[in-house]
Amino acid sequence: MRKLMMAMGASMMVAAPVVSADILGVGATVGYWDTDYSGEASKGNDRVDLERDLNLSNDSNANLTAYFEHPVPVLPNVRLAYTRTKQSGNGQLNTGYDGVSGAVRSELELEQLDVTLYYEILDNWVNLDLGLTVRDFSGELLVQNRNDTSQFSETKADAVLPLVYVAARFDLPFTGVSVGGDANAISYDGDSVYDFNVYGQYEMSLLQLRAGYRQISLDYDDGDDNLDIELSGPFVSAGLRF
């Protein structure tokens, strides 16, 4: 994976077009993402279904972004993004999972921090950005018997991954209204991450309001631990652009 990250970074620098923003720009947003989980986790030969077996429900999430764009040629723009989701629920394991069976209490948490370097290929009423994201992510599933706390299982996945970044937006001139989407993706050696969203946006002076739909599909092995999960649902966000 480290070799892949270096190759992708080198390719982006070699192929980087001499493009940049017209003016200096700084912005930040905060959002709420109403997520649903599906998929399964495994530990060795044991598997558990997140919906059917664990009955997870949405508890909390946090979504923050910030970006810096500049008119300096060759140097990339920078975007930071943080996502954290957490779900818990009470379920029933009839066949058992990693030594845990019966009535269980479960908690699944996913956390990721993105650093994206990108170039603005188009910057008018049609906007197109291309770049590379380095994602530091961690996922943890805790399963415990509600009547016997000695029955306890922890499934974890941690990694730093490079992803291809693409973002496009189409503005309706003189209205402040636009539609767009962005995506981060990688598939390598049996592991994969796909993260995309589509949205409608309205800008008024410094204020930016956005609503849309986001989906993350993650299939990652960390030794004997595997998370093969999908998070999806609508989101809203508000931000300031300077």
Side-chain angles (χ1 to χ4, degrees):
M1 185 63 70
R2 182 177 300 174
K3 292 181 179 179
L4 178 63
M5 185 183 298
M6 294 174 62
M8 291 175 65
S11 299
M12 190 182 79
M13 294 303 297
V14 171
V18 185
V19 293
S20 59
D22 295 332
I23 59 176
L24 187 69
V26 179
T29 65
V30 58
Y32 174 76
W33 183 23
D34 186 14
T35 54
D36 289 321
Y37 275 89
S38 61
E40 63 180 25
S42 63
K43 197 172 186 69
N45 295 322
D46 293 342
R47 294 182 179 274
V48 63
D49 188 279
L50 304 182
E51 292 181 296
R52 185 180 63 248
D53 299 327
L54 302 184
N55 193 30
L56 294 177
S57 60
N58 188 32
D59 283 348
S60 63
N61 70 61
N63 294 269
L64 306 170
T65 63
Y67 62 88
F68 173 72
E69 297 179 343
H70 58 81
V72 181
V74 179
L75 294 180
N77 302 303
V78 181
R79 179 178 183 269
L80 304 176
Y82 174 77
T83 300
R84 176 182 177 271
T85 64
K86 183 178 180 181
Q87 293 198 341
S88 60
N90 296 319
Q92 183 73 29
L93 293 179
N94 296 319
T95 59
Y97 175 73
D98 190 31
V100 182
S101 60
V104 296
R105 174 69 176 176
S106 305
E107 183 177 283
L108 176 60
E109 182 174 357
L110 178 67
E111 186 174 25
Q112 58 189 41
L113 175 64
D114 292 354
V115 179
T116 301
L117 305 178
Y118 67 95
Y119 294 94
E120 290 190 315
I121 307 304
L122 297 174
D123 186 18
N124 42 63
W125 68 274
V126 177
N127 300 268
L128 178 63
D129 299 339
L130 298 177
L132 171 68
T133 294
V134 177
R135 172 168 295 180
D136 184 358
F137 90 90
S138 62
E140 182 179 54
L141 172 65
L142 304 177
V143 182
Q144 186 174 38
N145 187 293
R146 298 204 304 268
N147 302 312
D148 182 0
T149 57
S150 66
Q151 291 189 28
F152 179 85
S153 172
E154 182 180 38
T155 304
K156 300 181 66 174
D158 298 277
V160 177
L161 300 173
L163 300 94
V164 174
Y165 173 77
V166 180
R169 192 181 76 246
F170 303 90
D171 299 332
L172 188 59
F174 311 114
T175 67
V177 176
S178 59
V179 294
D182 58 68
N184 285 286
I186 188 175
S187 181
Y188 177 75
D189 195 27
D191 298 326
S192 63
V193 178
Y194 301 100
D195 182 353
F196 75 89
N197 71 78
V198 292
Y199 61 84
Q201 178 176 286
Y202 178 68
E203 289 191 48
M204 179 178 60
S205 185
L206 301 178
L207 181 63
Q208 180 188 86
L209 302 176
R210 182 177 291 187
Y213 180 88
R214 183 181 183 185
Q215 178 176 309
I216 297 178
S217 297
L218 167 69
D219 186 357
Y220 188 78
D221 290 304
D222 193 346
D224 289 335
D225 294 359
N226 171 264
L227 294 177
D228 184 1
I229 60 178
E230 182 178 290
L231 302 78
S232 60
F235 72 88
V236 293
S237 68
L240 295 175
R241 178 186 178 92
F242 302 95

